[in-house]
Each structure stands twice: as C-alpha cells, then as structure tokens.
Amino acid sequence: MNDLFAVLGDPALQQNLLRQTGEHITLSLAAVGLAILAAVPLGIVLTRLERFAEPVMAAVSVLQTLPSLALLAFMIPLLGIGRTPALVALFLYALLPILRNTYTGLREVPANLREAGRGMGMSNLQLLRMVELPVAFPVILTGIRTSAVMVIGWATLAAFVGGGGLGDTILTGFAMVSTPHILAGGIPVTLLALLTDFLLGRLE
C-alpha cells in the first residue's frame, strides 16, 4: 500500500492519470452514445419486423462472443491504430444489451395500453412516442446501464491499439511488473464503473 501511495504521489503520474481518465471517459461515452443511436432505433424496427428479430439478434450476439483482443486485432488492418479501432470495437460490444432491452421492453408494453392509445386516435408514431417508449424506458435504461459499465471496463483494452485511456497505466504496470502502477490504473476504472452504475441506477 505504501508503494501505491508513493507512485500516486508522483506529479507526472498524476497528470497522466488525469489525462487518461479524460480519454477513458470520452471513449466510453462516445461508444455508448453511438450504440444508443444505433440500437434503440434498430430495436424499434425489429418490433415491427418480427421475422428479422431473431437473425439480427443472433448476428449481434456473435460480436459478444468474440474475444476483445481478437476483435481489436481484426480492426487494425481495417482502421489502423489509435482511437478509431478502439471506438468501433467498443461500439460493437455495447450494442447487444441496448438492442435486446429495447426490443424486449417494447414487446412487453401491455396490449391494453396500445389499444387505449389507438382508441384515442393516436397514430403509430404518437403511440410509440407517448405510450410505448415511456413504458419501455426503464427496461431500455437497464440495457444502457449494463453496456456503459461493461464498456468502461473494456475500454482499458484500447491501450493495446494506441487508443489511450487508463489502460496505458495498467500496461505500463505489466511491462514494469509493478503492482502499484497496475492498481493506479485499475482503481480509477473500477470507480468510474461503480459511479456510472450508481448514477444510471438512480436515473432508472
């Protein structure tokens, strides 16, 4: 523990950790934000085109089964190194929970609420906006919460492709066989994940 405090007392490391924390948050937010923009509309579409739901879900599920490092390695020939391949990989990993929960949440909206909306003369778009999405919102938010927490953890792997973030300090710790450096990078990641889970849980 004394070694950890000694490492954290280094002004240069403190500056690096602040910079890397900013990079980590930015990368995670961007990946989850893009996943929301893609998965929520797609989930809505799939509730209207049920025959495509199972194939699309299966295809997105396959992405979750790919090892993280393998997916990052696959991105390098296509997108090079840096933040872009890391962002794309994190985006792909973030899709499934949001897509699945959007689809499930909308399907579980009680039929009597839909009928009441139609009885009031609502169009399909009004029904979606004023009835279905508000009722399904807690389920959708659970998917977003799950994705956000997972992406914050996975974002440490961005360091392997030069994507920055707190994974840089963790990799430095592995290279130096320095547990304090590993903890200096790992503890902020854990705190970010816990804080995100808490805040989204309160919102939910």
Side-chain angles (χ1 to χ4, degrees):
M1 188 60 70
N2 290 335
D3 290 341
L4 175 60
F5 288 134
V7 167
L8 291 176
D10 182 357
L13 180 63
Q14 291 173 4
Q15 291 182 351
N16 281 336
L17 285 175
L18 286 175
R19 175 181 54 79
Q20 291 167 7
T21 299
E23 293 173 350
H24 204 97
I25 293 172
T26 301
L27 185 61
S28 300
L29 281 176
V32 174
L34 290 173
I36 292 171
L37 291 176
V40 172
L42 180 56
I44 293 170
V45 170
L46 292 180
T47 60
R48 272 61 178 171
L49 301 172
E50 291 280 351
R51 64 183 180 278
F52 295 111
E54 187 174 342
V56 171
M57 290 289 183
V60 176
S61 296
V62 168
L63 298 173
Q64 290 277 342
T65 66
L66 295 174
S68 306
L69 290 178
L71 183 59
L72 285 170
F74 178 74
M75 292 292 169
I76 292 175
L78 299 175
L79 301 172
I81 61 174
R83 294 186 184 179
T84 300
L87 177 60
V88 172
L90 291 173
F91 160 75
L92 293 175
Y93 274 120
L95 281 174
L96 181 61
I98 302 173
L99 176 61
R100 182 173 53 205
N101 280 41
T102 300
Y103 176 75
T104 301
L106 289 172
R107 287 195 66 196
E108 291 180 351
V109 173
N112 63 328
L113 293 182
R114 291 194 178 94
E115 291 303 320
R118 292 192 181 97
M120 295 171 63
M122 289 183 181
S123 65
N124 287 335
L125 184 59
Q126 289 174 324
L127 190 65
L128 174 66
R129 182 170 58 87
M130 300 173 69
V131 177
E132 294 177 317
L133 284 177
V135 172
F137 180 73
V139 179
I140 297 172
L141 187 57
T142 298
I144 294 172
R145 180 182 177 184
T146 301
S147 280
V149 172
M150 291 193 302
V151 163
I152 288 171
W154 283 328
T156 56
L157 299 176
F160 284 98
V161 293
L166 289 162
D168 283 344
T169 296
I170 295 173
L171 281 186
T172 299
F174 280 121
M176 297 172 59
V177 196
S178 170
T179 300
H181 280 83
I182 295 172
L183 292 176
I187 290 173
V189 173
T190 303
L191 293 177
L192 280 175
L194 291 173
L195 179 62
T196 299
D197 185 61
F198 172 76
L199 292 176
L200 290 177
R202 295 292 294 176
L203 178 60
E204 182 183 337

Tab-separated table of all heavy atoms in Angstrom, residues 9-40:
chain	number	residue	atom	x	y	z
A	9	GLY	N	1.935	9.616	-5.611
A	9	GLY	CA	2.475	10.920	-5.241
A	9	GLY	C	3.339	11.548	-6.312
A	9	GLY	O	3.737	12.717	-6.187
A	10	ASP	N	3.629	10.810	-7.378
A	10	ASP	CA	4.442	11.331	-8.471
A	10	ASP	C	3.612	12.331	-9.284
A	10	ASP	O	2.594	11.954	-9.877
A	10	ASP	CB	4.894	10.168	-9.350
A	10	ASP	CG	5.791	10.622	-10.494
A	10	ASP	OD1	6.012	11.843	-10.633
A	10	ASP	OD2	6.244	9.754	-11.262
A	11	PRO	N	4.018	13.608	-9.352
A	11	PRO	CA	3.231	14.605	-10.097
A	11	PRO	C	3.039	14.249	-11.571
A	11	PRO	O	1.968	14.504	-12.137
A	11	PRO	CB	4.052	15.887	-9.940
A	11	PRO	CG	4.859	15.678	-8.702
A	11	PRO	CD	5.166	14.208	-8.673
A	12	ALA	N	4.067	13.671	-12.186
A	12	ALA	CA	3.956	13.297	-13.601
A	12	ALA	C	2.890	12.221	-13.795
A	12	ALA	O	2.093	12.291	-14.746
A	12	ALA	CB	5.306	12.806	-14.114
A	13	LEU	N	2.869	11.246	-12.885
A	13	LEU	CA	1.861	10.193	-12.976
A	13	LEU	C	0.465	10.758	-12.718
A	13	LEU	O	-0.505	10.358	-13.374
A	13	LEU	CB	2.166	9.075	-11.980
A	13	LEU	CG	1.170	7.901	-11.991
A	13	LEU	CD1	1.193	7.186	-13.336
A	13	LEU	CD2	1.465	6.915	-10.867
A	14	GLN	N	0.360	11.685	-11.790
A	14	GLN	CA	-0.936	12.306	-11.510
A	14	GLN	C	-1.483	12.999	-12.754
A	14	GLN	O	-2.671	12.872	-13.074
A	14	GLN	CB	-0.799	13.305	-10.359
A	14	GLN	CG	-0.522	12.668	-9.002
A	14	GLN	CD	-0.231	13.703	-7.934
A	14	GLN	OE1	-0.304	14.910	-8.182
A	14	GLN	NE2	0.110	13.242	-6.737
A	15	GLN	N	-0.618	13.719	-13.467
A	15	GLN	CA	-1.053	14.388	-14.695
A	15	GLN	C	-1.473	13.374	-15.749
A	15	GLN	O	-2.474	13.566	-16.451
A	15	GLN	CB	0.068	15.288	-15.227
A	15	GLN	CG	0.342	16.510	-14.364
A	15	GLN	CD	1.419	17.402	-14.956
A	15	GLN	OE1	2.090	17.043	-15.932
A	15	GLN	NE2	1.606	18.573	-14.361
A	16	ASN	N	-0.681	12.304	-15.854
A	16	ASN	CA	-1.021	11.252	-16.820
A	16	ASN	C	-2.360	10.609	-16.493
A	16	ASN	O	-3.167	10.348	-17.388
A	16	ASN	CB	0.076	10.183	-16.855
A	16	ASN	CG	1.279	10.608	-17.669
A	16	ASN	OD1	1.169	11.458	-18.554
A	16	ASN	ND2	2.432	10.032	-17.370
A	17	LEU	N	-2.590	10.359	-15.205
A	17	LEU	CA	-3.847	9.722	-14.798
A	17	LEU	C	-5.039	10.628	-15.086
A	17	LEU	O	-6.090	10.154	-15.528
A	17	LEU	CB	-3.807	9.361	-13.316
A	17	LEU	CG	-2.959	8.149	-12.932
A	17	LEU	CD1	-2.916	7.972	-11.419
A	17	LEU	CD2	-3.495	6.882	-13.590
A	18	LEU	N	-4.880	11.924	-14.848
A	18	LEU	CA	-5.965	12.858	-15.164
A	18	LEU	C	-6.264	12.868	-16.663
A	18	LEU	O	-7.431	12.834	-17.081
A	18	LEU	CB	-5.605	14.267	-14.687
A	18	LEU	CG	-5.661	14.508	-13.177
A	18	LEU	CD1	-5.150	15.909	-12.840
A	18	LEU	CD2	-7.093	14.332	-12.660
A	19	ARG	N	-5.204	12.922	-17.458
A	19	ARG	CA	-5.380	12.914	-18.915
A	19	ARG	C	-6.011	11.602	-19.381
A	19	ARG	O	-6.952	11.591	-20.185
A	19	ARG	CB	-4.037	13.133	-19.613
A	19	ARG	CG	-4.098	13.009	-21.141
A	19	ARG	CD	-2.722	13.217	-21.739
A	19	ARG	NE	-1.726	12.343	-21.176
A	19	ARG	CZ	-1.572	11.055	-21.527
A	19	ARG	NH1	-2.379	10.505	-22.435
A	19	ARG	NH2	-0.622	10.330	-20.975
A	20	GLN	N	-5.502	10.501	-18.867
A	20	GLN	CA	-6.017	9.190	-19.267
A	20	GLN	C	-7.458	8.982	-18.809
A	20	GLN	O	-8.248	8.352	-19.513
A	20	GLN	CB	-5.111	8.088	-18.704
A	20	GLN	CG	-3.739	8.034	-19.345
A	20	GLN	CD	-2.760	7.169	-18.573
A	20	GLN	OE1	-3.141	6.501	-17.605
A	20	GLN	NE2	-1.506	7.179	-18.977
A	21	THR	N	-7.801	9.522	-17.646
A	21	THR	CA	-9.189	9.419	-17.175
A	21	THR	C	-10.121	10.159	-18.125
A	21	THR	O	-11.206	9.663	-18.469
A	21	THR	CB	-9.328	9.985	-15.750
A	21	THR	OG1	-8.488	9.232	-14.861
A	21	THR	CG2	-10.765	9.897	-15.263
A	22	GLY	N	-9.704	11.353	-18.561
A	22	GLY	CA	-10.492	12.093	-19.536
A	22	GLY	C	-10.652	11.327	-20.838
A	22	GLY	O	-11.754	11.270	-21.415
A	23	GLU	N	-9.562	10.732	-21.305
A	23	GLU	CA	-9.619	9.929	-22.538
A	23	GLU	C	-10.543	8.733	-22.360
A	23	GLU	O	-11.320	8.387	-23.258
A	23	GLU	CB	-8.213	9.451	-22.909
A	23	GLU	CG	-7.260	10.549	-23.329
A	23	GLU	CD	-5.837	10.055	-23.522
A	23	GLU	OE1	-5.555	8.881	-23.149
A	23	GLU	OE2	-5.007	10.818	-24.029
A	24	HIS	N	-10.457	8.106	-21.199
A	24	HIS	CA	-11.253	6.915	-20.921
A	24	HIS	C	-12.742	7.249	-20.910
A	24	HIS	O	-13.565	6.537	-21.508
A	24	HIS	CB	-10.837	6.338	-19.557
A	24	HIS	CG	-11.125	4.888	-19.384
A	24	HIS	ND1	-10.183	3.911	-19.587
A	24	HIS	CD2	-12.253	4.233	-19.036
A	24	HIS	CE1	-10.712	2.726	-19.362
A	24	HIS	NE2	-11.986	2.902	-19.026
A	25	ILE	N	-13.088	8.345	-20.233
A	25	ILE	CA	-14.490	8.762	-20.165
A	25	ILE	C	-15.006	9.138	-21.546
A	25	ILE	O	-16.115	8.741	-21.949
A	25	ILE	CB	-14.642	9.942	-19.185
A	25	ILE	CG1	-14.355	9.478	-17.747
A	25	ILE	CG2	-16.039	10.553	-19.276
A	25	ILE	CD1	-14.291	10.618	-16.745
A	26	THR	N	-14.203	9.884	-22.299
A	26	THR	CA	-14.615	10.311	-23.639
A	26	THR	C	-14.847	9.121	-24.555
A	26	THR	O	-15.862	9.047	-25.270
A	26	THR	CB	-13.545	11.235	-24.255
A	26	THR	OG1	-13.367	12.381	-23.411
A	26	THR	CG2	-13.969	11.702	-25.644
A	27	LEU	N	-13.913	8.182	-24.533
A	27	LEU	CA	-14.026	6.997	-25.382
A	27	LEU	C	-15.251	6.163	-25.003
A	27	LEU	O	-16.007	5.715	-25.881
A	27	LEU	CB	-12.752	6.157	-25.255
A	27	LEU	CG	-12.622	4.927	-26.161
A	27	LEU	CD1	-12.636	5.338	-27.628
A	27	LEU	CD2	-11.331	4.169	-25.836
A	28	SER	N	-15.467	5.983	-23.719
A	28	SER	CA	-16.608	5.184	-23.251
A	28	SER	C	-17.933	5.849	-23.593
A	28	SER	O	-18.869	5.203	-24.079
A	28	SER	CB	-16.508	4.951	-21.740
A	28	SER	OG	-15.320	4.267	-21.400
A	29	LEU	N	-18.015	7.163	-23.337
A	29	LEU	CA	-19.243	7.892	-23.650
A	29	LEU	C	-19.546	7.852	-25.139
A	29	LEU	O	-20.708	7.686	-25.541
A	29	LEU	CB	-19.124	9.344	-23.181
A	29	LEU	CG	-19.321	9.628	-21.696
A	29	LEU	CD1	-19.077	11.105	-21.405
A	29	LEU	CD2	-20.728	9.243	-21.251
A	30	ALA	N	-18.514	8.017	-25.953
A	30	ALA	CA	-18.720	8.001	-27.403
A	30	ALA	C	-19.229	6.641	-27.863
A	30	ALA	O	-20.162	6.552	-28.679
A	30	ALA	CB	-17.413	8.356	-28.120
A	31	ALA	N	-18.639	5.571	-27.345
A	31	ALA	CA	-19.046	4.221	-27.753
A	31	ALA	C	-20.482	3.929	-27.337
A	31	ALA	O	-21.288	3.434	-28.139
A	31	ALA	CB	-18.101	3.185	-27.145
A	32	VAL	N	-20.834	4.265	-26.099
A	32	VAL	CA	-22.197	4.004	-25.613
A	32	VAL	C	-23.191	4.918	-26.328
A	32	VAL	O	-24.294	4.488	-26.688
A	32	VAL	CB	-22.280	4.182	-24.086
A	32	VAL	CG1	-23.716	4.049	-23.604
A	32	VAL	CG2	-21.392	3.155	-23.388
A	33	GLY	N	-22.812	6.177	-26.544
A	33	GLY	CA	-23.699	7.095	-27.248
A	33	GLY	C	-24.015	6.623	-28.659
A	33	GLY	O	-25.182	6.638	-29.095
A	34	LEU	N	-22.989	6.185	-29.378
A	34	LEU	CA	-23.212	5.664	-30.727
A	34	LEU	C	-24.061	4.392	-30.692
A	34	LEU	O	-24.911	4.178	-31.569
A	34	LEU	CB	-21.867	5.386	-31.407
A	34	LEU	CG	-21.045	6.617	-31.788
A	34	LEU	CD1	-19.662	6.197	-32.282
A	34	LEU	CD2	-21.764	7.434	-32.861
A	35	ALA	N	-23.818	3.557	-29.682
A	35	ALA	CA	-24.595	2.323	-29.567
A	35	ALA	C	-26.072	2.631	-29.305
A	35	ALA	O	-26.961	1.964	-29.849
A	35	ALA	CB	-24.035	1.448	-28.447
A	36	ILE	N	-26.342	3.654	-28.495
A	36	ILE	CA	-27.735	4.051	-28.246
A	36	ILE	C	-28.386	4.533	-29.543
A	36	ILE	O	-29.514	4.151	-29.874
A	36	ILE	CB	-27.787	5.158	-27.173
A	36	ILE	CG1	-27.368	4.607	-25.808
A	36	ILE	CG2	-29.198	5.755	-27.083
A	36	ILE	CD1	-27.175	5.675	-24.749
A	37	LEU	N	-27.663	5.367	-30.289
A	37	LEU	CA	-28.199	5.913	-31.536
A	37	LEU	C	-28.486	4.819	-32.562
A	37	LEU	O	-29.393	4.954	-33.386
A	37	LEU	CB	-27.217	6.932	-32.120
A	37	LEU	CG	-27.053	8.242	-31.342
A	37	LEU	CD1	-25.971	9.105	-31.982
A	37	LEU	CD2	-28.369	8.992	-31.274
A	38	ALA	N	-27.713	3.734	-32.489
A	38	ALA	CA	-27.914	2.641	-33.450
A	38	ALA	C	-28.904	1.600	-32.936
A	38	ALA	O	-29.792	1.152	-33.670
A	38	ALA	CB	-26.582	1.972	-33.759
A	39	ALA	N	-28.770	1.213	-31.665
A	39	ALA	CA	-29.518	0.059	-31.156
A	39	ALA	C	-30.969	0.384	-30.835
A	39	ALA	O	-31.847	-0.463	-31.048
A	39	ALA	CB	-28.826	-0.490	-29.908
A	40	VAL	N	-31.248	1.576	-30.321
A	40	VAL	CA	-32.633	1.899	-29.968
A	40	VAL	C	-33.524	1.958	-31.218
A	40	VAL	O	-34.574	1.302	-31.263
A	40	VAL	CB	-32.719	3.201	-29.150
A	40	VAL	CG1	-34.173	3.632	-28.970
A	40	VAL	CG2	-32.060	3.008	-27.785
